Amino acid sequence: MSEKFPMTKEGLVRLEEELRNLKVVERPAVIRAIAEAREHGDLSENAEYHAAREKQSFIEGRVLELEARISRAEVIDVATMSGSTVKFGATITIADEDTDEESTYQLVGDLEADVKAGRIAITSPMARAMIGKEEGDSIEVRTPAGEKGYEIVKIEYV
């Protein structure tokens, strides 16, 4: 039995959109590029052909990866969740205890994490430090620069 991975509904939608784009847009485009490159003659020295084949290989690998991830996704509807403690799906605002600078993150599955978009993996050190905490609690997170302290300012399930 394959392992299931927690994922938000939004994360699943993003993966399905990427898969659909690869199958409907990218795959046909690379097939056309390979056909065009073949028309240029000798394939052994045809850089366009080799680049198109490499891109095709990447696309096919990514399609397989996405299909596997989607089939093993355990979708959790965050909109139905509530509570005063941090758990999967929560959107947490934290304040740096040294600078009072605030940051907001949503705890998501490993497959949908994107720090730049404010989504951190439930298995990350930051997320593990927050699990089970409440508003007003302090957490310590080990960073490359050493221990860092944060206060949990707000917990939401949206």
Side-chain angles (χ1 to χ4, degrees):
M1 184 169 190
S2 62
E3 184 179 358
K4 291 283 187 183
F5 295 100
M7 183 176 293
T8 63
K9 282 172 79 173
E10 295 78 17
L12 180 63
V13 167
R14 278 190 293 277
L15 290 182
E16 289 172 337
E17 286 172 356
E18 181 182 353
L19 179 61
R20 192 171 14 267
N21 180 61
L22 288 172
K23 286 182 169 182
V24 175
V25 178
E26 298 294 328
R27 185 185 271 166
V30 80
I31 290 170
R32 284 191 302 275
I34 289 170
E36 286 175 22
R38 279 191 175 142
E39 292 173 4
H40 296 279
D42 185 10
L43 298 181
S44 65
E45 295 180 18
N46 188 330
E48 291 172 358
Y49 174 78
H50 292 290
R53 288 297 303 225
E54 191 172 309
K55 184 172 182 178
Q56 181 185 36
S57 177
F58 171 80
I59 290 169
E60 295 307 322
R62 185 67 178 153
V63 164
L64 291 174
E65 179 184 4
L66 289 171
E67 288 174 341
R69 287 179 173 192
I70 290 168
S71 73
R72 295 189 334 246
E74 181 179 330
V75 180
I76 297 170
D77 186 358
V78 177
T80 65
M81 300 173 71
S82 63
S84 61
T85 61
V86 176
K87 57 189 172 229
F88 180 88
T91 299
I92 305 102
T93 301
I94 58 173
D96 185 309
E97 290 182 342
D98 295 331
T99 65
D100 287 333
E101 183 180 330
E102 290 190 357
S103 302
T104 301
Y105 300 104
Q106 182 181 24
L107 303 188
V108 296
D110 293 339
L111 306 177
E112 59 185 313
D114 180 353
V115 175
K116 290 179 182 171
R119 296 186 303 270
I120 59 174
I122 192 76
T123 56
S124 70
M126 174 75 82
R128 287 197 314 262
M130 287 192 256
I131 295 295
K133 302 291 191 222
E134 297 180 344
E135 288 181 11
D137 286 352
S138 290
I139 60 169
E140 292 289 322
V141 180
R142 183 177 306 244
T143 69
E147 291 287 321
K148 194 94 175 106
Y150 298 93
E151 179 185 343
I152 297 178
V153 177
K154 185 164 67 171
I155 301 169
E156 298 176 288
Y157 291 93
V158 287

